[in-house]
Amino acid sequence: MSNFDIGLASFAVLMVAIFLRMPIGLAMFSVGFGGLYLINGDATFALARLKSETYSTFSSYSLSIIPMFLLMGQFATHGGMSQALFKAAQSWLGHLRGGVAMAAIGACAGFGAICGSSLATAATMGQVALPEMKRYGYSGGFSSATLAAGGTLGILIPPSVILVIYAILAEQNIAKLFLAALIPGILAAVGYMITVSIYVRLHPEAAGVRPRASTRQRLGALVPVLPVLVVFLVVVGGIYLGLFTPTEGAAVGAAATGLIAFFNGGLRGKVWLDSFYATAKSTAMIFFIVLGAAFYNGFLALTQVPQELAAWVVARAFNPWMVLALILALYLVFGCLMDSLSMILLTIPIFFPIVSVLDFGMGPEDFAIWFGIIVLIVVEVGLITPPVGLNLFVINSMDRETPIARTYGAVMYFVGSDVLRVALLVLFPGISLVLVRLLY
């Protein structure tokens, strides 16, 4: 069996391991280690590679941005910022038909701007918004589907942990990727609100009515949101203006969010330590997946599978758009098997060399940024695609009274919105690139 054959066979082994519920980081590490053993005939090379790969992976300065953004999300959660965002959005939108659901999506977008994690956004906003939606007569399936979809904005609205990982893998500028994600993120939030409006007109029994808030109540609800806006402007604006690097911006954001949470009374005693503990736990999980992916992708590089596949695609002269459509379809399938981080780490080293050699009518850097945003959105769709969308299970675990089948039925409206947005961004790359071209 040639090295190339071993590399191809490893995909099947990896999928079986994931299907058997082996932790994805461990699955990628084990398959990579076993593949290196088969190639070299003994474990010496694999063990030596473990030492060098661990150092080269975690010596990356860019990875330090991840725990900072995770800590910022923890501080924001305990500091009451999620409640403030939801109350403000609800006071302005709650009286509309489906308005409380729209407010939940708006709050998810705002929280995503200081969190960077989809699951954390879904879980946090679920705790805040789900009781209110039930209070005003929203059906369980519609409520859980809305919050699961809104949670995906956590990885699309910058800053985003997934975009940081993509930037490292594709060797791209993190600040440019954050900027490119801004308009698609706003489109996502608006698209979800339009979806809510359509759903409640087709299913009027799914949503109740909330009394209209007074002008004084609306303006008063905006005051607690100002710190969130300040943190976002300081972090993202500081990065774009060149005042500090993305890593420094993450540290500034974490410190600012921590101070706000402290003065709000949310970081007293044990809560302070719990925030650091939760951040360390999440960071360890992410870093182990990163190590497993680095080990597996190092093995694939030795087998020449990505390079051979890229050469094969070029030799067959396939239509670039057909290849892109196939890759995006595969992401939807992968979304039923693994989380967004694992998808990015596993597939980008394989897919990116393939699409990079195809002609999409734009420069290499523009293409890399555009492709990253498209992949990010499709990965986001995988988080809410039945039967195994992770966000669906996160929200459903908070509402045991609602059968998951009802959530599946309602969430397909949001999946339809995502598919339309992907088509729009594929057909018009300038939507993602316009801010990058204006500011760089």
Side-chain angles (χ1 to χ4, degrees), residues 86-419:
F86 179 66
K87 288 178 180 178
Q90 191 177 206
S91 67
W92 286 87
L93 300 172
H95 64 282
L96 301 174
R97 183 180 296 180
V100 180
M102 295 180 189
I105 289 170
C108 284
F111 192 76
I114 53 174
C115 180
S117 167
S118 175
L119 296 179
T121 300
T124 302
M125 296 310 306
Q127 292 174 349
V128 175
L130 197 56
E132 282 292 295
M133 296 179 77
K134 291 292 186 69
R135 176 185 172 191
Y136 289 108
Y138 283 69
S139 68
F142 177 49
S143 300
S144 54
T146 299
L147 291 168
T152 62
L153 299 173
I155 63 171
L156 188 54
I157 302 289
S160 166
V161 171
I162 302 299
L163 272 183
V164 172
I165 296 295
Y166 174 83
I168 294 171
L169 293 174
E171 298 181 352
Q172 296 301 311
N173 185 292
I174 295 175
K176 290 183 179 181
L177 282 165
F178 283 177
L179 193 60
L182 190 56
I183 292 179
I186 294 172
L187 286 177
V190 172
Y192 285 162
M193 289 184 184
I194 293 173
T195 301
V196 167
S197 180
I198 293 172
Y199 187 90
V200 296
R201 278 164 175 76
L202 296 176
H203 305 276
E205 76 287 352
V209 178
R210 180 188 183 278
R212 180 188 293 269
S214 66
T215 302
R216 182 176 181 178
Q217 289 173 323
R218 291 181 178 184
L219 295 176
L222 292 178
V223 176
V225 176
L226 291 178
V228 179
L229 180 61
V230 170
V231 170
F232 177 76
L233 291 177
V234 167
V235 174
V236 178
I239 292 172
Y240 295 152
L241 294 175
L243 300 179
F244 33 70
T245 66
T247 305
E248 293 166 348
V252 170
T257 308
L259 287 173
I260 293 169
F262 179 79
F263 287 114
N264 284 345
L267 287 182
R268 305 297 186 187
K270 190 172 179 291
V271 177
W272 177 268
L273 295 176
D274 286 344
S275 297
F276 285 98
Y277 174 75
T279 299
K281 187 176 179 180
S282 298
T283 301
M285 179 194 70
I286 291 173
F287 278 18
F288 183 71
I289 296 174
V290 169
L291 177 61
F295 209 74
Y296 179 68
N297 292 326
F299 151 70
L300 282 183
L302 289 177
T303 65
Q304 293 290 301
V305 167
Q307 297 87 338
E308 291 292 336
L309 288 177
W312 182 79
V313 169
V314 171
R316 294 298 184 278
F318 289 124
N319 185 294
W321 299 101
M322 182 183 72
V323 175
L324 179 65
L326 178 60
I327 288 174
L328 297 183
L330 286 174
Y331 273 114
L332 293 179
V333 175
F334 288 149
C336 295
L337 298 172
M338 61 186 77
D339 62 277
S340 54
L341 175 64
S342 302
M343 276 191 278
I344 292 292
L345 287 166
L346 176 62
T347 60
I348 291 301
I350 301 168
F351 291 158
F352 190 72
I354 295 174
V355 294
S356 294
V357 298
L358 302 176
D359 183 14
F360 288 91
M362 61 187 82
E365 185 180 34
D366 282 352
F367 168 77
I369 293 173
W370 171 73
F371 181 69
I373 302 303
I374 296 296
V375 167
L376 181 72
I377 294 172
V378 180
V379 165
E380 161 209 325
V381 179
L383 293 172
I384 59 172
T385 303
V388 200
L390 289 180
N391 275 20
L392 300 178
F393 287 100
V394 168
I395 298 299
N396 191 256
S397 67
M398 301 178 183
D399 184 16
R400 297 292 188 181
E401 298 176 0
T402 301
I404 191 70
R406 293 184 183 176
T407 305
Y408 287 166
V411 83
M412 293 310 297
Y413 287 81
F414 295 97
V415 172
S417 172
D418 283 328
V419 171

